[in-house]
């Protein structure tokens, strides 16, 4: 175990304490870390197929080996324990548990039982996500998320995983970021399965939300005392580039399709009228919605997973019907602007104040629903120094600033109950391959050696003190 505190604690002018029992942890996702894609009876997922297509992934990378977490999870759990992580958020690979999306593989379930037992043995709370984008390819062959039946298959899968692990997992998330699964997978085509059809993207979005609602019904029916069920949405607050109604309208459009479109039906508010109007010309949504769907989707959740990385700057176009440079369904008459200020290696801007505003807005908009920041973190160009250490001051600063932002939201009344950094490990960053490192733990993808970055040491101290340095 490495020692050594990043400077930031020594220079701190004070500390900001977090509430008692605040849930600290780290997140990963199955396809991004597991590898072992043909082992343990696992069937192919859409990401196995998509990464095999030429030109889709930077450097032709795949998740075939990734961080080899499938084999190395005991070592990784030891790292978590060394960091004092109280919680680990991971996702189950549907095609490991049901290789064709429908037929149960005991081997697959056993793998996750072992992982969960390893975590429990170290007093680490498992936070299990059922779907982080790796749909079994067999279901994609039947239409994937364009098909309503996929929502029923997902509910059956959720019930199966809960039957197997419900005696040892209390924190459940149905779906991670349906926005990405639908709009990047079926709309812009930069994610698996790679379709570029805006109407299909809206259909897929509805079916993903329906799948969440149907799974909630199964999970609640099997629920044991102390269990909590949630959904994780990715939010990008829209920042208008100027004042006046046109700018406000540009922000409304982006916020509508990116944020409220996924949130409002879950809260029982239905799809927002303004967004329905924006996407009416696209098709694919009205025809997908059946009687009773919105009631199913609005099944009460115990907490909302809030994934936040950066805001999006927007500006109006002169012609309200002109095509947008942003390929989200229905967007017209506005453009997304380049990010400003300090950027991460992904080119995302670092605006922690937007996280505070988001959490405070969510507190108001959801009527005080408990919130957990289920993902937040940053990619930077990390390198191993001659002293064999990874000094990542930019990530330490990013984390400190965003933790202060969370603290400010709590101070302002938001019921934020936890923070799960993205990510525990450097991993397969989707279309960017291994070029973007988000981990607080460095992974050498040649040797699979893990090394703690300074940010991991910083985070370890945050957890131990239940506090973040107030400022430097
Ligand atoms: O790596 C992803 C993760 O899978 C979902 N949320 C955003 C992260 C960073 O891009």
């Amino acid at each position: 175990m490495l020692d050594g505190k990043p400077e930031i604690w020594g220079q701190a002018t004070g500390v900001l304490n977090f509430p008692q029992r605040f849930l600290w942890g780290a997140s990963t996702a199955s396809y991004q870390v597991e590898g072992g894609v043909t082992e343990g009876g696992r069937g192919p997922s859409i990401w196995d197929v998509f990464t095999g297509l030429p030109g889709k992934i930077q450097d032709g990378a795949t998740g075939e080996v990734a961080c080899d977490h499938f084999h190395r999870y005991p070592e990784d759990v030891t790292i978590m324990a060394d960091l004092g992580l109280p919680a680990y958020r991971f996702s189950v690979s549907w095609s490991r548990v049901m290789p064709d999306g429908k037929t149960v593989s005991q081997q697959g379930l056993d793998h996750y039982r072992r992982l969960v037992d390893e975590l429990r043995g170290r007093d680490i709370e498992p936070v299990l996500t059922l779907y982080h984008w790796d749909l079994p390819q067999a279901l994609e062959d039947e239409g994937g998320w364009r098909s309503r039946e996929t929502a029923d298959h997902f509910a059956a899968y959720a019930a199966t995983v809960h039957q197997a692990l419900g005696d040892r997992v209390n924190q459940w998330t149905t779906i991670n970021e349906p926005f990405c699964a639908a709009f990047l997978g079926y709309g812009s085509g930069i994610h698996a399965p790679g379709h570029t059809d805006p109407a299909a993207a809206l259909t897929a979005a509805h079916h993903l939300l329906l799948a969440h609602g149907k799974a909630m019904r199964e999970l609640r029916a099997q629920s044991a005392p102390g269990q909590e069920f949630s959904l994780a949405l990715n939010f990008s607050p829209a920042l208008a580039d100027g004042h006046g109604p046109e700018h406000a309208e540009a922000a409304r459009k982006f916020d509508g399709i990116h944020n409220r479109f996924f949130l409002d039906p879950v809260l029982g508010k239905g799809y927002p009228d303004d967004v329905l109007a924006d996407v009416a010309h696209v098709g694919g949504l009205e025809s997908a919605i059946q009687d009773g769907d919105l009631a199913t989707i609005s099944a009460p959740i115990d907490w909302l997973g809030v994934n936040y990385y950066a805001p999006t700057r927007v500006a109006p176009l002169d012609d309200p019907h002109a095509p947008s440079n942003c390929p989200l369904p229905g967007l017209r008459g506005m453009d997304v602007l380049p990010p400003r200020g300090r950027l991460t290696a992904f080119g995302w801007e670092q605006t922690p104040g937007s996280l505070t505003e988001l959490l405070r807005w969510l507190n108001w908009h959801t009527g005080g629903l408990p919130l957990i920041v289920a993902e937040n973190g940053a990619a930077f160009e990390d390198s191993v120094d001659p002293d064999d250490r990874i000094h990542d001051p930019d990530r330490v600063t990013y984390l400190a600033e965003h933790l202060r932002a969370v603290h400010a939201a709590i101070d302002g009344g938001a019921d934020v109950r936890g923070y799960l950094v993205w990510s525990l490990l450097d991993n397969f960053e989707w279309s960017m391959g291994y070029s973007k490192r988000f981990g607080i733990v460095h992974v050498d993808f040649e040797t699979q050696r893990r090394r703690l970055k300074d940010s991991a040491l910083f985070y370890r101290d945050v957890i131990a003190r239940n506090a973040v340095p107030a400022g430097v």
Side-chain angles (χ1 to χ4, degrees), residues 8-16 404 468-472:
I8 196 162
W9 285 103
Q11 299 163 2
T13 51
V15 294
L16 301 170
R404 284 178 205 130
V468 65
V472 287

Side-chain angles (χ1 to χ4, degrees), residues 30 34-43 70 92-99 103-109 111-112 136:
S30 47
E34 279 186 359
V37 294
T38 55
E39 292 180 61
R42 181 186 178 280
F70 178 66
V92 169
S93 155
W94 187 347
S95 41
R96 212 177 265 299
V97 161
M98 292 179 159
T103 316
V104 179
S105 157
Q106 191 56 47
Q107 276 189 81
L109 288 171
H111 168 72
Y112 293 106

Side-chain angles (χ1 to χ4, degrees), residues 182-183 197-207 257 261 271 279 282-285 288 329-330:
F183 292 171
D197 175 352
L202 289 171
T203 307
H206 180 66
H207 290 155
I257 191 66
F261 179 74
Y271 289 111
V279 301
V282 177
L285 183 61

Side-chain angles (χ1 to χ4, degrees), residues 162-420:
H162 191 276
Q163 270 151 26
L165 302 177
D167 60 346
R168 56 198 80 194
V169 175
N170 284 331
Q171 296 297 337
W172 296 76
T173 299
T174 54
I175 294 179
N176 183 70
E177 303 182 2
F179 167 97
C180 297
F183 292 171
L184 309 186
Y186 292 83
S188 69
I190 62 165
H191 278 190
H195 302 300
T196 50
D197 175 352
L202 289 171
T203 307
H206 180 66
H207 290 155
L208 279 148
L209 288 171
L210 186 63
H212 156 74
K214 286 181 180 239
M216 284 298 298
R217 200 183 281 156
E218 298 294 329
L219 295 169
R220 286 280 182 217
Q222 298 178 186
S223 157
Q227 293 192 336
E228 294 187 329
F229 303 102
S230 62
L231 167 79
L233 300 178
N234 54 312
F235 294 93
S236 185
L239 299 184
D241 190 43
H243 299 291
E246 299 84 9
H247 289 279
E249 174 66 355
R252 179 201 65 72
K253 287 177 184 167
F254 183 86
D255 172 60
I257 191 66
H258 196 294
N259 304 320
R260 289 179 290 115
F261 179 74
F262 290 91
L263 177 63
D264 281 9
V266 174
L267 299 176
K269 299 173 192 261
Y271 289 111
D273 288 338
D274 62 315
V275 185
L276 289 178
D278 289 346
V279 301
H281 67 282
V282 177
L285 183 61
E286 294 291 337
S287 53
I289 303 173
Q290 295 189 7
D291 285 351
D293 284 3
L294 289 167
T296 303
I297 293 169
S298 66
I301 52 176
D302 297 308
W303 51 269
L304 176 70
V306 180
N307 297 2
Y308 169 85
Y309 291 87
T312 301
R313 296 192 179 268
V314 297
L317 296 172
D318 290 340
D319 174 359
H321 295 290
S324 173
N325 65 357
C326 176
L328 293 181
L331 275 188
R332 296 188 293 196
M334 54 80 59
D335 269 353
V336 162
L337 300 177
R340 290 201 197 130
R342 288 173 300 146
L343 306 186
T344 71
F346 221 132
W348 297 347
E349 83 175 57
Q350 302 179 54
T351 310
S354 285
L355 176 56
T356 307
E357 281 174 31
L358 170 65
L359 293 168
R360 293 185 68 164
W361 176 78
L362 283 170
N363 181 54
W364 168 76
H365 192 69
T366 65
L369 190 65
L371 308 171
I372 289 183
V373 177
E375 286 186 24
N376 175 246
F380 289 106
E381 309 286 347
D382 300 320
S383 56
V384 182
D385 279 17
D387 61 358
D388 210 33
R389 303 281 289 266
I390 295 101
H391 301 297
D392 57 343
D394 291 341
R395 187 173 290 99
V396 172
T397 300
Y398 180 97
L399 294 181
E401 289 182 349
H402 285 77
L403 289 171
R404 284 178 205 130
V406 173
H407 191 276
I410 296 171
D411 254 3
D415 186 4
V416 187
R417 300 205 174 163
Y419 177 93
L420 308 169

Side-chain angles (χ1 to χ4, degrees), residues 32 132-133 176-177 309 346 348 375 422 429-430 438:
Q32 294 182 270
H132 197 124
W133 313 348
N176 183 70
E177 303 182 2
Y309 291 87
F346 221 132
W348 297 347
E375 286 186 24
W422 185 271
E429 178 54 30
W430 310 112
F438 277 88

